[in-house]
């Protein structure tokens, strides 16, 4: 599905390039949705062997609602504590799952997915959503992936407005 660009160098060097690309994309753009859309496209271009990448945003009812993404159509709403994404919200920490079929309560939006990485998004210490990445490869995500993608999420939300209205004012 994705045709990622080939990047040379070590994983650390490639992720450093990714972070620089993110910084350039979001510089001077405070709108969260615009930045999430570009970030999902950037990750879809950068990450190899994934079949879905995108964001879910936490609403006032403590439900995750589908945001910008790259991939096949996805679950629109995920309840607090349900599946890998809901578990990341409930525990407020990253979930790296080597085999989603062994994860209790896994929500199968795409039966081809075998592993998953879900990283909570925080804005001023408030949970606002998650980055969700699926792969058809078992144990696809490493500690290095997790570390740099957590940095990616921190940079992404650091200067974005939570309310779309904030960006328009």
């Amino acid at each position: 599905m994705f045709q990622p660009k080939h990047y040379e160098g070590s994983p650390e060097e490639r992720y450093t390039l990714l972070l620089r690309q993110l910084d350039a994309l979001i510089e001077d753009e405070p709108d969260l949705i615009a930045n999430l859309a570009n970030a999902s496209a950037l990750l879809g271009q950068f990450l190899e062997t994934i079949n879905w990448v995108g964001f879910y945003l936490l609403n006032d009812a403590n439900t995750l609602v589908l945001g910008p993404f790259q991939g096949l159509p996805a679950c629109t709403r995920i309840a607090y504590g349900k599946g890998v994404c809901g578990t990341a919200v409930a525990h407020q920490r990253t979930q790296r799952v080597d085999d989603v079929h062994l994860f209790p309560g896994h929500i199968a939006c795409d039966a081809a997915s075998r592993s998953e990485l879900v990283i909570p998004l925080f804005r001023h210490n408030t949970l606002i959503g998650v980055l969700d990445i699926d792969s058809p490869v078992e144990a696809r995500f490493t500690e290095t992936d997790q570390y740099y993608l957590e940095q990616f999420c921190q940079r992404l939300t650091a200067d974005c407005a939570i309310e779309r209205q904030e960006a328009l004012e």
Side-chain angles (χ1 to χ4, degrees), residues 37-99:
N38 270 334
S40 63
L42 179 61
L43 290 171
Q45 176 189 19
F46 177 82
L47 296 171
E48 297 176 357
T49 61
I50 64 167
N51 58 330
W52 198 91
V53 58
F55 298 91
Y56 283 91
L57 298 173
L58 198 59
N59 69 11
D60 292 339
N62 229 15
T63 299
L64 289 166
V65 179
L66 182 63
F69 70 94
Q70 300 284 306
L72 295 175
C75 302
T76 304
R77 294 178 185 270
I78 299 174
Y80 179 90
K82 300 295 182 187
V84 181
C85 290
T87 299
V89 168
H91 295 282
Q92 296 195 9
R93 71 173 182 262
T94 299
Q95 302 293 305
R96 191 173 76 233
V97 180
D98 288 340
D99 186 347

Side-chain angles (χ1 to χ4, degrees), residues 8-45:
E8 298 294 326
S10 69
E12 291 80 7
E13 290 169 329
R14 292 192 316 265
Y15 273 115
T16 298
L17 175 61
L18 174 71
L19 293 173
R20 285 198 315 261
Q21 289 177 330
L22 174 67
D23 289 342
L25 273 176
I26 65 175
E27 183 179 10
D28 298 326
E29 179 51 65
D31 189 85
L32 179 64
I33 300 301
N35 287 335
L36 295 179
N38 270 334
S40 63
L42 179 61
L43 290 171
Q45 176 189 19

